[in-house]
Amino acid sequence: MSGTSTEAATSTEMDKRFDPQSYEQAWQRRWAEKGYFKAEAPSDKPSYCIPIPPPNVTGKLHVGHALQSTLQDLLTRWRRMQGYNALWLPGTDHAGIATQLMVERHLVTEGTSRQQMGREKFLARMWEWKEQYHGNIREQLDLLGASCDWTRERFTLDAGLSRAVREAFVRLYEEGLITRGEYMVNWSPVLGTAVSDLEVETKTVQGKLYHIAYPVEGSDERIVIATTRPETMLGDTAVALHPEDERYLHLHGKAAILPIVGRRLPFVPDAMVDREFGTGLVKITPFHDPNDFEMGRRHKLPGISVIGPDGRMTAEAGEDFAGLDRFEARDKVVQRLKDEGYLVKVEEHTHNVGHSQRSGEPIEPLVSTQWFCEMRGMADLALEAVRDGRMQLMPESWDKTWEHWLTNIKPWCISRQLWWGHQIPAWYTEDGRCIVARSFKEAAAQAGTEQLTQDPDVLDTWFSSALWPFSTLGWPDDTEDLRTFYPTSVMVTGFDILFFWVARMAMTALHFTGEVPFYKVHLTGLVRDAEGVKMSKTKGNVMDPTDLVGEFGADALRFTLASLDSPGRDIPLNRNQIAGYRAFGNKIWNATRFALSRVGEDARVRETIDAAGLAAPERWILSRLSRVAAEVSEQLEIFRFDEACNRLYHFFWGDFCDWYIELSKPALFGDAPRPQVGDVVLTVLDRALRLLHPVMPFLTEELWQRLAGHEVIHPETICLAPYPRREEGWDDPAVEAGMDALIQVVTRVRALRAEMGLSPKAKLDLHFQADDDAVARLLEEQAPLIRFLTRVETVTRGAAPEGARRDLVAGVEIGVAVEKQEMSDEERGRLVKELEKLDGDVARAEERLSNPDFLGKAPAHVVEGGRAKLAEMKERQAALRSSLGLS
RNA sequence: AGGCCCGUAGCUCAGUUGGUUAGAGCGCUACGUUGACAUCGUAGAGGUCAGCGGUUCGAAUCCGCUCGGGCCUACCA
């Protein structure tokens, strides 16, 4: 590590190019050893806590994680420097389905399966995996510079969290909110488990609509029924029609005969039937369609399960079909209908079909005994919390979506037919009683016997995730951590898991703790590739954060991600941009290198500096610094990471490097000494690095350690140094105005030189006049600097001589006199064009300023500004006309 | 079907409660090895703010409609 913070560490040791690899991980290790990121409980400081959205324990971080981690770390570091007792609480999720699938796929390559292994052995294997991959997440977060408190790391299946899960389950059960029952669920035949509504993805598919004739009992009449799923007819138990449908009034009280099977299907009138669709008659399959299930309940119809959990037809489907895959059965049923003359017609039909989000196949709605959690009451709490502002969604455009989803919430199917997860704390006695308890011991006591069998199902992963903000802090116990950090401050996560996770955390938190889980939710967009296309393995456009860190350094990646996080927008990540911010890192590096080589031996970082005795350039940069410090925190307060980064970028590169360093050169080189220049350079660098530290932690620490006198700010590390704030004593609007004029004059002179086609070395003289005397005096005072920056021979206050090229910027009239030279046609043309445009602007401004409506209704300052502007435009008009030799 | 978001320079995006000549980065053009940085410097070109209508003294900004793109929710068998 080069950051040894010794006096000897000077620019002579600094490479011309910065090399993030050479110091990033060294600092990460040092910070960890020193324990800088360990939060206190209890603490006298105000608390700030961000619970990490726990990544999959066996997973790999993708750029979306990198984005969210960057923002969380940025906030945590910023608050820590501001003096908060900041805790970024890390952890991982067992991710039931995903992880189990991963291991099961691996087992296939070994020629075995979880069924062959049995539950106990399989789980042992899962834990081995977990142990093997567990370190990956931390490694990758370390690469990014994450300042997590690893002493508080949690895992959703660890003892503490498992206890919280059982406690929550038992309480909800005792409150009657968790129940077990036989309902229609979304079944994934591939996964072999029920899934929640959220895990079903609706896809529009091109299917077929089959029209089937059903004979009417006791007559020759045949009615026609349309269906997209003919195989389910084997489980039909009724035919529904609209009660007022005049076409079918004669069918009331009668029954149809189910083709192939011969079952008698009573006609049931139900207003839910759409008379316009198909024939207005609907087959009812209570056990294989959610609507039919409801209708079956209303009309007390029996149900028949003809499709089993494996997606194959059951014995009840009849011996011709039993054992067939559901889609094979469809073909066979259609063939039979055709053969037997029941198939009327087949139409192409586009419709929406639910697919399993995780495994891709069409979801099979079927009836199954599962555990459900009633969410209505908890949803109302979550609605209320956002409505009254206790919990704030950002951007707040999500409020409506929040309202809509929570208003229409349905019971949550929380049981999964998996093994990897929290096994449901319910036990069954031999005589079939169900005991829900916190432990086997408690269950046995309640049951009066130890002959108990635990429910084999596990809970939906999101059930444990829902408790994350408080379970990680020790709930249900009343712990010091919980008292110190709960409710937590911010949740940073993707909008894609707003309902899966954020809403459920809000609901359980309000229910169990009576408090919101966090005060603010910052929802990020989706990271996309440079073309705006969603990254996916199949498209091959995935960018791996680890590779990006290797190529550009963590700081560049962090800065890029943070600066792209604009509210409500996706993030198009593009390598050029990361390279651009790596260049920014190089700029910071070289600016520091230059400063250290020139400030002189006595220069030191100062806690503060009295601006009174300083020259204008120093007063200017301190004033700018003060303003930027205020703005950056303002932007971070409202989660405008993009704006905060922009301010930092432009301050450092624009104000500090492009102008201040240039302005300080004559002083630093001893050509025109100014008071305390070296101290100012170091002090500005110190604060600028501190301002940048939350975004670029490594580079800033590496450089800050080299600044002579940095110890007065903090003895050990920039991580714990105070975050710079506005410094009232440095605010100097007058000097900012004057220096702004100077900058514009310099820029304009350079432009004129280029426009006039003069070589950079051509000799010329500058004259200037300004209405504002303070500005004029500053320009006069700083004439040597103007000469240095524009390479003019002389700078004179006063009117420009005849024939000078004239212009006006920032209220300063300038004239550039050059030895007699013909104006080129090109230059003349450009000037004429410029003048024409100005003439138009003047005309428009005059018109507006003579409009009584405008004068009467617009606020005074707008009118005032318009007049000043017009006056200036006219002056410039005159200057340009003079340049052209027009009177 | 309902809801939400987006459409601004070649590209990716900022633009606060309506108020000067609409900004940035990258890219592009010209010039430049002046004692930090070619991962650089100086200057420049480039936009009828998707379209139409309305409100207003004044609209990229507010309202309505149209077109285009994306996302979420939904039981049309």
Side-chain angles (χ1 to χ4, degrees):
Chain A
M1 185 179 343
S2 45
T4 48
S5 82
T6 61
E7 293 290 321
T10 66
S11 67
T12 52
E13 294 174 10
M14 287 178 76
D15 230 324
K16 204 165 159 182
R17 304 157 69 101
F18 89 129
D19 176 19
Q21 304 287 353
S22 69
Y23 56 79
E24 288 194 348
Q25 286 313 293
W27 279 116
Q28 185 71 7
R29 280 192 297 277
R30 165 79 84 88
W31 293 333
E33 282 162 17
K34 294 282 186 174
Y36 294 150
F37 308 141
K38 188 172 180 336
E40 309 161 355
S43 170
D44 296 336
K45 301 177 186 171
S47 295
Y48 188 80
C49 177
I50 300 183
I52 200 170
N56 182 341
V57 66
T58 63
K60 201 174 153 187
L61 294 192
H62 52 69
V63 280
H65 289 117
L67 166 71
Q68 289 165 18
S69 303
T70 294
L71 302 184
Q72 290 170 76
D73 191 52
L74 200 165
L75 289 169
T76 307
R77 285 179 182 272
W78 170 55
R79 291 301 194 192
R80 187 183 292 121
M81 290 175 79
Q82 282 191 330
Y84 284 80
N85 177 32
L87 169 61
W88 183 14
L89 200 156
T92 49
D93 194 292
H94 66 282
I97 295 180
T99 312
Q100 178 167 326
L101 267 184
M102 196 185 302
V103 175
E104 282 194 79
R105 279 197 202 112
H106 188 75
L107 292 181
V108 170
T109 68
E110 294 176 7
T112 180
S113 70
R114 73 172 159 120
Q115 287 79 6
Q116 280 178 42
M117 293 175 81
R119 186 164 190 146
E120 205 171 314
K121 272 187 143 174
F122 177 75
L123 284 178
R125 189 60 186 276
M126 292 289 308
W127 279 98
E128 272 174 40
W129 264 67
K130 183 254 167 192
E131 291 307 327
Q132 189 181 338
Y133 289 101
H134 171 245
N136 287 4
I137 297 293
R138 168 152 190 194
E139 263 173 46
Q140 294 174 77
L141 284 170
D142 277 345
L143 272 183
L144 286 167
S147 65
C148 301
D149 180 352
W150 291 99
T151 66
R152 286 183 164 85
E153 183 189 2
R154 303 310 296 266
F155 173 53
T156 47
L157 282 180
D158 67 27
L161 269 63
S162 298
R163 191 171 139 245
V165 164
R166 287 193 301 273
E167 180 68 26
F169 186 95
V170 172
R171 284 201 206 169
L172 290 169
Y173 179 80
E174 286 168 353
E175 291 161 14
L177 294 175
I178 282 182
T179 53
R180 181 170 181 260
E182 198 178 41
Y183 291 98
M184 169 102 359
V185 296
N186 305 300
W187 186 269
S188 164
V190 168
L191 301 174
T193 179
V195 296
S196 71
D197 294 344
L198 282 174
E199 290 157 276
V200 178
E201 200 178 338
T202 315
K203 289 185 189 168
T204 302
V205 297
Q206 182 64 43
K208 288 185 167 62
L209 189 61
Y210 301 87
H211 293 254
I212 305 166
Y214 283 36
V216 175
E217 189 183 45
S219 83
D220 296 337
E221 189 183 355
R222 289 178 140 206
I223 50 140
V224 176
I225 287 172
T227 179
T228 54
R229 298 199 59 193
E231 72 280 12
T232 64
M233 70 180 285
L234 302 171
D236 282 3
T237 57
V239 174
L241 47 80
H242 194 279
E244 283 152 31
D245 193 334
E246 293 177 3
R247 293 171 295 179
Y248 304 122
L249 288 175
H250 65 287
L251 296 176
H252 288 224
K254 295 189 178 171
I257 300 300
L258 183 61
I260 305 180
V261 181
R263 187 182 304 128
R264 186 174 179 276
L265 309 174
F267 288 103
V268 295
D270 195 297
M272 200 161 77
V273 177
D274 179 356
R275 279 175 279 187
E276 307 301 317
F277 188 88
T279 58
L281 292 167
V282 191
K283 65 196 252 338
I284 302 298
T285 318
F287 279 10
H288 294 288
D289 181 281
N291 294 321
D292 293 6
F293 184 74
E294 291 303 315
M295 216 181 279
R297 292 212 147 178
R298 274 203 292 281
H299 300 283
K300 300 197 166 44
L301 300 169
I304 301 168
S305 287
V306 293
I307 302 172
D310 54 358
R312 293 180 176 278
M313 308 307 285
T314 64
E316 288 189 272
E319 57 186 25
D320 292 350
F321 302 100
L324 287 180
D325 173 83
R326 50 189 171 147
F327 299 108
E328 291 167 11
R330 177 178 302 176
D331 295 340
K332 191 162 179 185
V333 165
V334 171
Q335 191 58 47
R336 280 279 295 278
L337 290 170
K338 200 170 172 185
D339 294 346
E340 295 174 22
Y342 292 111
L343 190 63
V344 178
K345 66 172 173 179
V346 182
E347 290 175 329
E348 289 298 314
H349 182 64
T350 310
H351 61 141
N352 298 322
V353 179
H355 288 67
S356 167
Q357 190 188 53
R358 187 64 67 175
S359 47
E361 86 283 12
I363 284 292
E364 187 58 47
L366 50 77
V367 172
S368 163
T369 299
Q370 301 285 348
W371 291 87
F372 294 87
C373 186
E374 174 55 51
M375 306 304 290
R376 185 63 270 153
M378 288 190 266
D380 288 336
L381 298 176
L383 281 167
E384 209 44 52
V386 168
R387 283 182 196 144
D388 66 22
R390 270 174 297 152
M391 197 174 111
Q392 208 181 339
L393 304 181
M394 323 184 71
E396 62 184 25
S397 54
W398 287 102
D399 285 6
K400 282 191 180 177
T401 314
W402 182 265
E403 279 283 329
H404 183 257
W405 191 74
L406 286 168
T407 306
N408 296 295
I409 199 161
K410 288 181 199 144
W412 174 16
C413 177
I414 51 173
S415 44
R416 295 289 179 275
Q417 287 63 56
L418 304 171
W419 290 348
W420 179 239
H422 299 276
Q423 196 169 351
I424 290 178
W427 285 264
Y428 304 100
T429 60
E430 286 175 326
D431 56 359
R433 280 182 298 144
C434 173
I435 316 279
V436 169
R438 287 166 183 81
S439 64
F440 174 81
K441 215 173 143 191
E442 199 181 296
Q446 270 186 50
T449 170
E450 296 206 340
Q451 297 303 305
L452 296 171
T453 315
Q454 187 170 3
D455 194 301
D457 290 353
V458 300
L459 288 165
D460 183 358
T461 298
W462 297 104
F463 189 88
S464 53
S465 313
L467 314 175
W468 184 256
F470 46 100
S471 64
T472 50
L473 292 171
W475 186 89
D477 293 336
D478 179 23
T479 62
E480 202 67 68
D481 271 7
L482 200 60
R483 283 195 297 271
T484 304
F485 298 108
Y486 191 81
T488 67
S489 311
V490 181
M491 171 53 56
V492 177
T493 191
F495 67 86
D496 51 325
I497 50 174
L498 183 61
F499 302 132
F500 269 112
W501 194 40
V502 179
R504 285 167 177 166
M505 285 189 284
M507 292 189 280
T508 61
L510 288 159
H511 183 79
F512 288 116
T513 73
E515 307 245 34
V516 293
F518 22 73
Y519 297 113
K520 291 182 178 173
V521 183
H522 177 71
L523 294 161
T524 63
L526 197 67
V527 181
R528 297 171 177 274
D529 73 6
E531 276 75 46
V533 179
K534 195 169 168 174
M535 289 188 195
S536 75
K537 281 180 193 157
T538 50
K539 286 195 196 99
N541 61 348
V542 175
M543 294 164 100
D544 179 349
T546 305
D547 296 345
L548 293 173
V549 167
E551 191 175 349
F552 301 102
D555 289 328
L557 178 62
R558 291 170 61 113
F559 202 98
T560 306
L561 292 169
S563 67
L564 286 173
D565 186 74
S566 295
R569 277 198 104 109
D570 284 344
I571 287 116
L573 187 59
N574 146 359
R575 308 177 70 84
N576 287 339
Q577 202 154 3
I578 311 175
Y581 288 121
R582 179 182 54 188
F584 180 48
N586 190 56
K587 189 77 182 175
I588 298 171
W589 177 270
N590 275 293
T592 307
R593 188 166 76 96
F594 169 75
L596 293 178
S597 72
R598 295 291 174 182
V599 288
E601 287 188 4
D602 299 333
R604 291 285 180 281
V605 168
R606 305 290 175 190
E607 263 191 286
T608 189
I609 288 179
D610 181 2
L614 303 177
E618 281 67 46
R619 295 214 307 274
W620 172 73
I621 195 66
L622 291 176
S623 182
R624 291 288 307 132
L625 175 61
S626 167
R627 183 201 300 271
V628 163
E631 287 173 354
V632 168
S633 282
E634 270 168 33
Q635 297 300 331
L636 291 179
E637 289 281 355
I638 55 172
F639 298 86
R640 286 305 301 263
F641 303 102
D642 57 338
E643 285 291 338
C645 287
N646 278 335
R647 309 283 156 111
L648 289 167
Y649 184 92
H650 287 112
F651 172 75
F652 201 94
W653 202 317
D655 294 341
F656 185 65
C657 295
D658 291 345
W659 290 103
Y660 183 68
I661 286 185
E662 294 307 316
L663 288 164
S664 69
K665 279 180 179 173
L668 290 174
F669 293 147
D671 302 341
R674 297 197 301 257
Q676 274 194 287
V677 171
D679 285 354
V680 170
V681 167
L682 290 183
T683 300
V684 171
L685 260 178
D686 155 55
R687 293 207 188 193
L689 291 174
R690 280 192 273 151
L691 285 170
L692 281 159
H693 178 259
V695 206
M696 307 183 104
F698 296 122
L699 174 63
T700 50
E701 177 81 299
E702 176 70 18
L703 294 175
W704 185 80
Q705 295 285 347
R706 297 166 188 259
L707 303 183
H710 69 270
E711 299 86 350
V712 303
I713 306 300
H714 190 277
E716 289 184 41
T717 176
I718 195 173
C719 300
L720 303 179
Y723 202 71
R725 296 185 311 168
R726 179 166 173 198
E727 182 99 17
E728 271 89 359
W730 290 354
D731 291 344
D732 193 337
V735 97
E736 281 204 44
M739 289 298 294
D740 179 60
L742 184 147
I743 286 169
Q744 289 197 47
V745 166
V746 167
T747 304
R748 195 71 202 119
V749 170
R750 286 168 175 167
L752 285 175
R753 191 194 284 276
E755 280 175 26
M756 291 191 289
L758 299 173
S759 92
K761 283 164 190 159
K763 294 181 175 180
L764 38 82
D765 297 301
L766 173 65
H767 301 264
F768 74 89
Q769 282 181 300
D771 294 338
D772 185 328
D773 190 53
V775 168
R777 279 210 317 274
L778 187 138
L779 292 175
E780 207 169 11
E781 258 171 45
Q782 304 303 330
L785 277 179
I786 296 175
R787 286 213 319 271
F788 172 72
L789 294 170
T790 58
R791 320 202 98 223
V792 297
E793 294 293 302
T794 61
V795 176
T796 315
R797 182 173 177 180
E802 196 69 18
R805 176 68 192 276
R806 298 169 63 205
D807 207 332
L808 183 112
V809 284
V812 180
E813 193 188 333
I814 58 178
V816 173
V818 64
E819 286 169 40
K820 212 61 181 160
Q821 191 200 1
E822 282 299 302
M823 190 179 276
S824 71
D825 289 347
E826 193 194 349
E827 189 190 351
R828 177 170 292 276
R830 192 165 38 221
L831 211 49
V832 167
K833 197 177 148 195
E834 182 74 21
L835 189 56
E836 279 168 1
K837 184 168 173 285
L838 196 53
D839 289 343
D841 290 343
V842 167
R844 262 196 310 279
E846 280 177 335
E847 191 188 332
R848 195 157 65 119
L849 283 163
S850 60
N851 181 344
D853 281 335
F854 174 69
L855 297 173
K857 293 180 182 174
H861 74 273
V862 173
V863 177
E864 202 73 12
R867 287 209 175 105
K869 189 68 215 171
L870 176 61
E872 194 173 331
M873 283 193 292
K874 281 180 150 173
E875 274 187 67
R876 177 144 196 261
Q877 218 175 9
L880 295 186
R881 291 172 71 85
S882 154
S883 299
L884 280 165
L886 310 168
S887 58

